[in-house]
Amino acid sequence: HTLPLAGSAALGQTIDSRGECLALVGGMIHVSPTEEPIRDGVVLIRAGRIVAVGSRALVQIPQTSHLLDCSGSTITAGFWNSHVHFFERKWANVATIPAAELGRQLQETLTRYGFTSVFDLSSTWENTRQLRDRIESGEVPGPRILSTGEGLLPPNAGLPSDQVGNAMGMMKTPLHEVADAARAAAVAGRLLEEGVDGIKLFASSPSKSTLPDGAIQAAAAVAHRSGKPVFAHANSGADVLAAIRGGVDVIAHTTPQSGPWDEPILAALKD
């Protein structure tokens, strides 16, 4: 049994309302991938915050604490999901979704699996920002959300029709088509001014059009000046190389349709 720390959120809220501590006792705790696990450990939570982590021999548990026996279980730090999209119709008009319903959606999609932080790689920024605001205000429980807002596409992208998008359960997201470096820099700059946490580039599109090398470089330069990462959706090995050479930080996924990545790609990634 694995219990991500996020898994105790609902019980923790109940305990918090009574002003007590919640103690997860007896589990094997993986604090981080680089540290040895703590056996027969204790995680002490007060007012929604972890206040102590250590072995049972070292952590003093207040007598009024509510104890949760985790013997035989593993407790991990919260997980990251670094590739999500808040563009399903269930997130549409998120400001109007009742808090209880929104909390259930977030739990069913993310927090029940231990995801305490997520990076949204392309969605309607204003809607995703409102979702983040409702979580950060404490109105609904949910993960920390970082987002790129709307992605940048090549011109004449050939995206699926609204009818196809509806059939797939997606809301319409107004992505930005960019044909040159000047346009890419302008769009990236505007998104960053609006508060996004990174920039998403679609290196190529369903119509096989590609983002010009200059556009990739310009968008990456603008993002890096603001200390923000750049992500690329790649459909081929050529896309991967173009993204690497343009200064992209994260290739969002592999490209199985174009076959295994060859030595030039691996060398570029390593460099």
Side-chain angles (χ1 to χ4, degrees):
H1 302 286
T2 299
L3 177 67
L5 296 185
S8 62
L11 178 57
Q13 289 175 349
T14 302
I15 301 302
D16 285 349
S17 69
R18 299 200 296 261
E20 301 171 358
C21 287
L22 171 65
L24 313 181
V25 180
M28 179 183 291
I29 305 171
H30 288 267
V31 179
S32 85
T34 60
E35 298 180 48
E36 287 295 316
I38 300 170
R39 291 172 171 78
D40 193 21
V42 174
V43 178
L44 193 62
I45 301 169
R46 180 185 293 115
R49 301 286 181 181
I50 297 171
V51 295
V53 177
S55 68
R56 194 185 326 222
L58 297 177
V59 176
Q60 184 174 356
I61 303 173
Q63 291 184 351
T64 58
S65 297
H66 183 93
L67 303 183
L68 185 62
D69 184 7
C70 297
S71 301
S73 297
T74 297
I75 303 172
T76 73
F79 301 144
W80 275 84
N81 187 331
S82 294
H83 192 163
V84 303
H85 295 282
F86 290 110
F87 57 28
E88 294 173 276
R89 276 202 305 271
K90 67 181 181 181
W91 307 112
N93 302 311
V94 72
T96 65
I97 300 175
E101 179 182 347
L102 184 59
R104 284 194 300 272
Q105 287 182 190
L106 288 163
Q107 182 182 41
E108 291 168 0
T109 308
L110 296 166
T111 55
R112 67 178 295 209
Y113 301 108
F115 293 121
T116 56
S117 299
V118 302
F119 216 128
D120 162 71
L121 302 187
S122 191
S123 67
T124 303
W125 168 235
E126 179 59 23
N127 194 65
T128 301
R129 183 191 61 77
Q130 291 174 347
L131 173 61
R132 180 167 72 181
D133 288 348
R134 293 187 69 180
I135 294 171
E136 291 184 350
S137 72
E139 181 189 4
V140 294
R144 176 190 182 207
I145 294 177
L146 304 177
S147 177
T148 65
E150 300 87 4
L152 279 64
L153 279 170
N156 306 311
L159 295 178
S161 65
D162 291 349
Q163 184 177 6
V164 172
N166 287 336
M168 295 174 66
M170 297 162 53
M171 45 180 177
K172 187 175 179 60
T173 301
L175 303 178
H176 306 282
E177 293 194 1
V178 296
D180 53 40
R183 169 73 174 156
V187 171
R190 185 169 70 250
L191 285 166
L192 292 163
E193 289 175 357
E194 293 173 356
V196 300
D197 304 288
I199 296 296
K200 172 69 176 290
L201 307 176
F202 291 86
S204 64
S205 70
S207 69
K208 308 301 183 184
S209 62
T210 58
L211 205 59
D213 289 349
I216 296 175
Q217 294 165 6
V222 170
H224 292 159
R225 283 199 295 270
S226 296
K228 305 296 184 182
V230 183
F231 301 81
H233 168 104
N235 293 308
S236 67
D239 288 349
V240 174
L241 277 175
I244 295 168
R245 292 166 179 166
V248 165
D249 301 292
V250 181
I251 307 297
H253 46 71
T254 57
T255 59
Q257 292 182 346
S258 67
W261 291 354
D262 58 17
E263 188 57 37
I265 292 177
L266 298 179
L269 287 167
K270 183 178 179 181
D271 289 343

